[in-house]
Amino acid sequence: MALAAVSAAASCSIDLDRPAEGPSAPPPAAVPGDAGASSVGDPYTTGDGNGGYDVQHYDLKLRIDPGDSAKALDGVAEITARATQAMSRFDLDLSDLNVAEVRVDDAAARHERQGSELIVSPAAPLKKGATFKVLVRYSGTPKTVVDPILQRYGWIPTRDGVFVACQPSGAHSWFPGNDHPSDKATFDFHITVPNGLTAIANGEQTEGPAPGDGEGDEIQPPGSSSTPRFTQAAAHADTTTTWRVKEPMATYLATVNVGRFDVRKGTTPGGIPILSAVDPTVFNTDVDDFQAKNAQITDEWVKLFGPYPFSSTGGIVDDADVGFALETQNRPVYGSFGAQETIVAHELAHQWFGDSVSVTRWKDIWLNEGFATYAEWIWGERAGGPTVQQEFDTRYRQTDNREVWDVPPGNPGRGQMFGRSVYDRGGMTLHALRRKVGDATFFTILRTWAKEHRHGNATTAQFIALAERLSDHKLDRFFRVWLYERGRPTSW
């Protein structure tokens, strides 16, 4: 993934407490006029996302102190967006954290809170098509999302730091934004952490000290294939490092992991930069094995799915008490259960299917999970486990598995959006399609899907249209029985 790890060696720090430059003045009265919608209207994540604008870039300046229970996070978010309509006010998604200041195009703006919405009224109305910048100065301790259906995710404290995994709605627990995958943007992270801790985010490190700051191994240039072991050195001051994400990213795929890590970096045999990190207290995952497996799987998926869509690959295993992994963009994160080989294959397949090609609405989540599950089966077969056909047959014989057959994966409902049907029946749908159209056409469909929607958003209807176009088959009934009807398909 990234070319450099972040250490706690002495460096500059971000002054997040300084006031905005220029004389302070109260925000003007709200200007009457049109408002951007307070939600994108996705029933799977009610209230998430907003209308009226398209975010182009997030610049997040974050001071993270995991040991401060009252204020673990001190942040400044600078958001560059384009207005898609004329607006006198608009919403940002942000939960619980304290907002000290909001400015739009460097002018003070009125703001108010309504639940997880930060409602912003700029000093002057925004014209349709205008590019504008929003600054939000905020602080507090992000709350872990505890959902009765989706369980626990988002900002999760660990023994030495924080683990961040935000699918589907956890991003606005730690930064303001348009928290829905339909609005992807590029990111910069400027992260300040206390002495002795490491921070790793998405993308590539562009500023900050090398691990150890002269006492450990130096950062190697792009193209290096070696995998040095980095150890943390004592530091005399907080450390600030910058990570840049050059490709568009959905907000839920953003991550910042803080703690102590052993890090490996270099390039895969196929030439893709890679960074892998493991909390040394997670004894079930060896960092060298993890690095090697990330490299091997990434290169194999390139052969099968097409060019790698991001600037680096790898992953992070942290001492987090969670039962899931998440495909955070170009650097998946894994909890303390470790990084089993087939799970790594699953998360890295998501870089094509879910991260680069993202859903437009969450009801199409099978486009992420069904595809990654199928890739997991392919890797399992290559590693000497059951064949893909055996994985299909085992599940198909489970005629009484209501969790799979009673839930249509093409629109499973919020309560089952991460249920077994989306994963297993989604994967089975792809294998049934492969059997119907043949291997050559099937893998051409997957590669074309990844190519035509690279760094964008897509829908199931678009996938069906592509499959029909490339296979020269009418597939309406096939996809209807596999994705949208209850019951076990008996013919297709």
Side-chain angles (χ1 to χ4, degrees):
M1 282 176 140
L3 296 178
V6 185
S7 83
S11 178
C12 61
S13 62
I14 300 172
D15 184 1
L16 299 175
D17 296 321
R18 63 175 179 80
E21 295 185 7
S24 176
V31 177
D34 294 336
S38 62
S39 168
V40 299
D42 190 332
Y44 281 53
T45 53
T46 303
D48 282 8
N50 303 287
Y53 63 92
D54 176 23
V55 177
Q56 308 295 304
H57 184 70
Y58 293 93
D59 191 299
L60 303 178
K61 298 177 176 64
L62 310 172
R63 184 189 299 277
I64 299 173
D65 184 354
D68 187 340
S69 59
K71 192 172 75 170
L73 174 63
D74 205 348
V76 176
E78 297 182 23
I79 303 167
T80 303
R82 181 179 60 84
T84 57
Q85 66 174 71
M87 293 186 297
S88 62
R89 63 188 185 277
F90 58 88
D91 284 28
L92 297 170
D93 299 309
L94 184 67
S95 296
D96 300 313
L97 300 172
N98 301 314
V99 175
E101 180 186 25
V102 178
R103 301 179 72 85
V104 177
D105 289 334
D106 205 31
R110 295 180 64 88
H111 65 275
E112 59 180 299
R113 307 295 294 274
Q114 289 185 8
S116 293
E117 298 295 314
L118 175 62
I119 304 169
V120 178
S121 299
L126 299 168
K127 295 180 180 180
K128 181 179 179 180
T131 296
F132 62 99
K133 293 189 176 183
V134 185
L135 180 146
V136 181
R137 198 178 301 277
Y138 64 103
S139 63
T141 296
K143 293 183 179 179
T144 302
V145 180
V146 181
D147 186 281
I149 295 174
L150 305 180
Q151 305 303 315
R152 181 170 172 262
Y153 63 95
W155 181 279
I156 298 174
T158 65
R159 285 185 293 183
D160 61 359
V162 63
F163 171 90
V164 177
C166 294
Q167 190 180 38
S169 302
H172 60 271
S173 70
W174 61 284
F175 69 93
N178 198 10
D179 195 10
H180 191 270
S182 58
D183 191 0
K184 299 164 74 170
T186 56
F187 280 72
D188 281 319
F189 301 92
H190 313 268
I191 311 163
T192 300
V193 295
N195 298 349
L197 296 183
T198 291
I200 305 175
N202 311 87
E204 315 310 321
Q205 187 182 347
T206 61
E207 297 178 16
D213 195 24
E215 298 180 51
D217 297 295
E218 294 182 354
I219 295 178
Q220 297 195 354
S224 168
S225 60
S226 63
T227 54
R229 181 181 182 90
F230 294 145
T231 57
Q232 303 307 308
H236 304 292
D238 291 351
T239 300
T240 298
T241 50
T242 297
W243 298 77
R244 174 160 294 166
V245 180
K246 297 183 294 184
E247 300 89 4
M249 180 167 71
T251 49
Y252 80 91
L253 296 172
T255 190
V256 173
N257 283 256
V258 176
R260 293 175 175 83
F261 298 98
D262 288 335
V263 180
R264 302 290 186 273
K265 65 180 183 59
T267 57
T268 73
I272 299 169
I274 182 170
L275 184 151
S276 303
V278 176
D279 183 313
T281 67
V282 181
F283 299 114
N284 58 23
T285 302
D286 178 83
V287 67
D288 292 311
D289 291 344
F290 184 48
Q291 170 85 337
K293 196 57 63 177
N294 281 322
Q296 180 188 9
I297 293 172
T298 298
D299 283 351
E300 286 301 309
W301 287 163
V302 167
K303 297 174 186 175
L304 204 60
F305 304 140
Y308 186 68
F310 303 118
S311 55
S312 62
T313 187
I316 305 169
V317 179
D318 203 355
D319 179 27
D321 184 19
V322 297
F324 62 87
L326 181 63
E327 63 272 16
T328 46
Q329 188 159 304
N330 83 318
R331 189 160 297 122
V333 293
Y334 305 81
S336 58
F337 61 88
Q340 182 183 338
E341 184 172 339
T342 53
I343 297 176
V344 173
H346 181 112
E347 302 307 331
L348 289 178
H350 271 309
Q351 305 308 303
W352 286 261
F353 308 114
D355 292 15
S356 177
V357 184
S358 301
V359 296
T360 303
R361 290 291 185 269
W362 283 111
K363 69 181 180 67
D364 288 327
I365 185 64
W366 87 279
L367 291 171
N368 296 7
E369 300 302 345
F371 283 52
T373 297
Y374 196 65
E376 181 180 337
W377 296 348
I378 292 172
W379 190 263
E381 177 177 341
R382 293 185 177 191
T387 67
V388 173
Q389 185 64 49
Q390 288 170 332
E391 295 280 14
F392 178 95
D393 291 342
T394 296
R395 288 160 177 78
Y396 190 74
R397 285 194 294 265
Q398 297 171 352
T399 58
D400 59 348
N401 188 342
R402 298 184 59 183
E403 188 178 6
V404 169
W405 304 125
D406 286 359
V407 179
N411 192 3
R414 184 178 187 275
Q416 290 294 324
M417 65 186 292
F418 298 112
R420 290 318 315 170
S421 177
V422 168
Y423 290 74
D424 291 352
R425 190 167 160 184
M428 294 173 73
T429 300
L430 291 175
H431 190 63
L433 177 64
R434 179 180 175 180
R435 294 290 301 273
K436 190 173 186 69
V437 304
D439 277 19
T441 299
F442 174 74
F443 286 107
T444 298
I445 290 170
L446 294 192
R447 286 190 292 271
T448 304
W449 178 250
K451 178 181 178 180
E452 291 188 352
H453 298 283
R454 182 181 175 95
H455 299 152
N457 298 83
T459 66
T460 299
Q462 289 173 302
F463 181 74
I464 293 172
L466 175 68
E468 289 186 331
R469 170 164 60 90
L470 295 182
S471 69
D472 199 27
H473 283 61
K474 285 294 292 180
L475 297 170
D476 286 351
R477 181 178 179 277
F478 171 86
F479 282 108
R480 185 175 69 253
V481 300
W482 274 104
L483 294 179
Y484 295 110
E485 291 184 357
R486 296 179 184 274
R488 173 174 169 268
T490 55
S491 63
W492 58 87

